[in-house]
Coordinates of all heavy atoms in Angstrom, one line a residue:
R237 N 0.1 7.9 1.4 CA -0.3 9.2 0.9 C 0.6 10.3 1.5 O 1.3 10.0 2.5 CB -1.8 9.5 1.2 CG -2.1 9.6 2.6 CD -3.6 9.7 2.8 NE -4.0 9.7 4.2 CZ -4.3 10.9 4.9 NH1 -4.1 12.0 4.2 NH2 -4.6 10.8 6.1
D242 N 1.0 19.9 3.0 CA 0.0 20.8 2.4 C 0.7 22.1 1.9 O 0.4 22.6 0.8 CB -1.1 21.1 3.4 CG -2.0 20.0 3.7 OD1 -1.9 19.0 3.0 OD2 -2.8 20.0 4.7
G258 N 2.1 30.8 -19.2 CA 3.3 31.3 -19.9 C 4.3 31.9 -19.0 O 5.3 32.5 -19.5
A284 N 0.7 17.3 -13.1 CA 0.8 17.9 -14.4 C 0.4 17.0 -15.5 O -0.4 17.3 -16.4 CB 2.3 18.3 -14.7
R286 N -1.8 14.6 -15.2 CA -3.3 14.4 -15.2 C -3.9 15.6 -15.8 O -5.1 15.5 -16.3 CB -3.7 14.3 -13.7 CG -3.4 13.0 -13.0 CD -4.2 12.8 -11.7 NE -3.9 13.9 -10.8 CZ -3.0 13.8 -9.9 NH1 -2.2 12.8 -9.8 NH2 -2.8 14.9 -9.0
D293 N 11.9 13.6 -17.7 CA 12.4 13.3 -16.3 C 13.9 12.7 -16.4 O 14.3 12.0 -17.3 CB 11.5 12.2 -15.7 CG 10.0 12.6 -15.8 OD1 9.7 13.7 -15.4 OD2 9.3 11.8 -16.3
L315 N 13.4 11.3 -27.5 CA 12.6 12.1 -28.5 C 13.4 12.2 -29.8 O 12.8 12.0 -30.9 CB 12.4 13.5 -28.0 CG 11.3 13.6 -26.9 CD1 11.3 15.1 -26.4 CD2 9.9 13.2 -27.4
R318 N 13.1 9.2 -32.0 CA 11.8 8.9 -32.5 C 11.5 9.7 -33.7 O 10.5 9.5 -34.4 CB 10.7 9.1 -31.5 CG 10.7 8.0 -30.4 CD 9.3 8.0 -29.7 NE 9.1 9.2 -28.9 CZ 9.4 9.3 -27.6 NH1 10.0 8.3 -27.0 NH2 9.1 10.4 -26.9
T343 N 29.4 22.0 -28.9 CA 29.8 22.9 -27.9 C 28.6 23.2 -27.0 O 27.5 23.0 -27.3 CB 30.2 24.2 -28.6 OG1 29.1 24.9 -29.2 CG2 31.3 24.0 -29.6
V452 N 12.2 7.0 17.7 CA 13.2 6.2 17.1 C 13.7 6.9 15.7 O 14.9 6.9 15.4 CB 12.7 4.8 16.8 CG1 13.7 4.0 15.9 CG2 12.6 4.1 18.2
V460 N 10.3 6.4 8.9 CA 9.0 6.1 9.4 C 8.3 5.1 8.4 O 7.8 4.1 8.9 CB 8.1 7.4 9.5 CG1 6.7 7.0 9.8 CG2 8.7 8.3 10.6
D473 N 16.2 -4.1 7.5 CA 17.5 -4.3 6.7 C 17.6 -3.3 5.6 O 18.7 -2.9 5.2 CB 17.5 -5.7 6.1 CG 17.7 -6.8 7.2 OD1 18.2 -6.4 8.3 OD2 17.4 -8.0 7.0
R482 N 25.3 5.9 2.7 CA 25.3 7.3 2.7 C 26.6 7.8 3.5 O 27.3 8.7 3.2 CB 24.1 7.9 3.4 CG 24.0 9.4 3.4 CD 22.7 9.8 4.0 NE 22.7 11.3 4.2 CZ 21.9 11.9 5.1 NH1 21.1 11.2 5.9 NH2 22.0 13.2 5.3
T493 N 33.6 6.6 12.6 CA 33.2 7.7 13.5 C 31.8 7.6 14.0 O 31.5 7.8 15.2 CB 33.4 9.1 12.8 OG1 34.8 9.2 12.4 CG2 33.0 10.2 13.7
T529 N 26.4 18.3 9.0 CA 25.9 18.9 7.8 C 24.9 18.0 7.1 O 23.9 18.5 6.6 CB 27.1 19.2 6.8 OG1 28.0 20.1 7.5 CG2 26.6 19.9 5.6
L552 N 25.2 0.0 13.9 CA 25.7 -1.1 14.6 C 25.2 -2.5 14.1 O 25.8 -3.5 14.2 CB 25.2 -1.0 16.1 CG 25.8 0.2 16.8 CD1 25.4 0.2 18.3 CD2 27.4 0.2 16.8
V580 N 27.8 3.2 33.7 CA 27.9 3.3 32.2 C 28.9 2.3 31.7 O 28.7 1.6 30.7 CB 28.3 4.7 31.8 CG1 28.6 4.8 30.3 CG2 27.2 5.7 32.2
H584 N 28.3 -1.3 29.1 CA 29.0 -1.7 27.9 C 29.6 -3.1 28.1 O 29.6 -3.9 27.1 CB 30.1 -0.7 27.6 CG 29.5 0.6 27.0 ND1 29.0 0.7 25.7 CD2 29.4 1.8 27.5 CE1 28.6 1.9 25.4 NE2 28.8 2.6 26.5
G591 N 34.8 -13.4 28.8 CA 36.1 -13.9 28.8 C 36.5 -14.5 30.2 O 35.7 -15.3 30.7
G604 N 25.6 -4.9 39.8 CA 24.5 -5.8 40.2 C 24.0 -5.5 41.6 O 22.8 -5.4 41.8
S609 N 20.0 -2.9 45.2 CA 19.7 -2.0 46.3 C 18.8 -0.8 45.8 O 18.2 -0.2 46.6 CB 21.0 -1.4 46.9 OG 21.7 -0.6 46.0
R633 N 31.9 -19.2 45.7 CA 32.2 -18.2 46.7 C 32.4 -16.8 46.2 O 32.7 -15.9 46.9 CB 33.4 -18.7 47.5 CG 33.3 -20.0 48.2 CD 34.6 -20.4 48.8 NE 34.5 -21.7 49.4 CZ 34.1 -21.9 50.7 NH1 33.7 -20.9 51.4 NH2 34.0 -23.2 51.1
P647 N 13.0 -12.4 51.3 CA 11.5 -12.5 51.1 C 11.1 -11.6 49.9 O 11.7 -10.5 49.7 CB 11.0 -12.0 52.4 CG 12.1 -12.2 53.4 CD 13.3 -12.0 52.6

Side-chain angles (χ1 to χ4, degrees):
R237 62 190 179 94
D242 291 346
R286 286 195 302 270
D293 312 305
L315 285 174
R318 287 201 292 270
T343 67
V452 169
V460 173
D473 291 339
R482 187 179 170 204
T493 299
T529 300
L552 297 180
V580 174
H584 284 286
S609 65
R633 299 176 184 273

